[in-house]
Amino acid sequence: MTSLTGDTDVFASASSGASPRASVMFVATRQDELPGVYGEEHRRAILAVLDELAAEGWTLSLRRVFDPEAPNVARALDTGFTHTHDIAGVFEAPDLESALAGTIRLEKAGWARAFRTEWLMGVKEFAPVLGKGALTDHGWSFLALWEWNDQWCEATPDERTEYDFECDIAFKGDLALGVNIAGRHRMDWSHSWHHLGAWEIDGPDTADAAIRGHERVADFKFTTSRHIVGRLAPLADLIAPRHG
């Protein structure tokens, strides 16, 4: 699968002909309202599947995308404080086939009892980029899905290239704010969304400042976006049963 756009000053292709890694994004809402639906045995079964996926080459922590020495323990965004869903996250799988199979294994282990989930899968286009102070506290994450609008479809190739480099100005500003960017993931093969971006940030104020930078360069003249902000936490805690 080819990239939808070319490399820029900030972004470079994630691979050179090799099979790209797959991304698995989830946005999930609790549905274990009643006792007996989802219990500790289901949580343990989910964690066992996650251990299997890690052994099979999955990356389960955004931190590990930037630091190969970081623990490969599943982490996700706690989003219930400001979104209608409770958790969100992004894993990386070796390929699309294993990505789909992995989500089915998680659902069967008990995930479907605890959550109503929107699974979104894509392939990695661009390599990760580290921001200023890359190894400092990054306890939060920002996820962005975006799709190009009719104006982008009507633009000429030169206008699209000019737009990409205008957006690069904003992305350089993100890096100066300390944002770590996990590359870019192409999602359009199965969704209306064209791309996913996953960031490590130090808090919501950084996400706000970064988006203001994108607004200044008119990033959104060609796109519609969906943004998710949450504090990173161990997934084992976030999937704890509500009822003992």
Side-chain angles (χ1 to χ4, degrees), residues 16-36:
S16 56
S19 177
R21 287 178 65 78
S23 54
V24 179
M25 178 181 176
F26 55 91
V27 179
T29 305
R30 298 296 297 237
Q31 61 178 2
D32 54 332
E33 302 293 340
L34 300 174

Side-chain angles (χ1 to χ4, degrees), residues 96-199:
L96 281 172
E97 184 175 354
S98 58
L100 177 59
T103 61
I104 294 171
R105 289 158 63 185
L106 288 169
E107 292 270 358
K108 288 183 176 179
W111 184 285
R113 288 176 169 268
F115 296 104
R116 182 174 66 256
T117 306
E118 180 183 7
W119 296 101
L120 302 99
M121 296 176 208
V123 293
K124 196 158 192 172
E125 277 188 317
F126 289 154
V129 186
L130 292 172
K132 181 180 179 182
L135 300 180
T136 57
D137 175 35
H138 285 83
W140 291 69
S141 181
F142 172 81
L143 307 179
L145 290 159
W146 70 96
E147 59 185 358
W148 287 312
N149 57 24
D150 291 346
Q151 287 73 28
W152 185 90
C153 295
E154 294 169 354
T156 67
D158 286 345
E159 288 171 333
R160 294 177 184 177
T161 299
E162 181 181 1
Y163 167 73
D164 288 340
F165 281 92
E166 288 173 351
C167 291
D168 240 23
I169 296 171
F171 283 118
K172 290 175 182 175
D174 302 337
L175 300 176
L177 290 169
V179 173
N180 292 331
I181 304 174
R184 190 177 77 178
H185 307 266
R186 179 176 175 179
M187 314 295 282
D188 65 303
W189 68 281
S190 62
H191 304 281
S192 63
W193 300 113
H194 284 94
H195 290 115
L196 162 68
W199 295 0

Side-chain angles (χ1 to χ4, degrees), residues 50-95:
L50 289 169
D51 287 342
E52 293 171 1
L53 296 178
E56 294 166 14
W58 285 52
T59 301
L60 304 176
S61 167
L62 188 56
R63 179 90 288 265
R64 192 174 171 91
V65 172
F66 304 105
D67 179 5
E69 301 301 319
N72 195 17
V73 178
R75 290 167 64 83
L77 287 68
D78 186 351
T79 61
F81 71 102
T82 189
H83 298 285
T84 56
H85 45 78
D86 295 296
I87 64 172
V90 179
F91 298 150
E92 287 189 4
D95 51 51

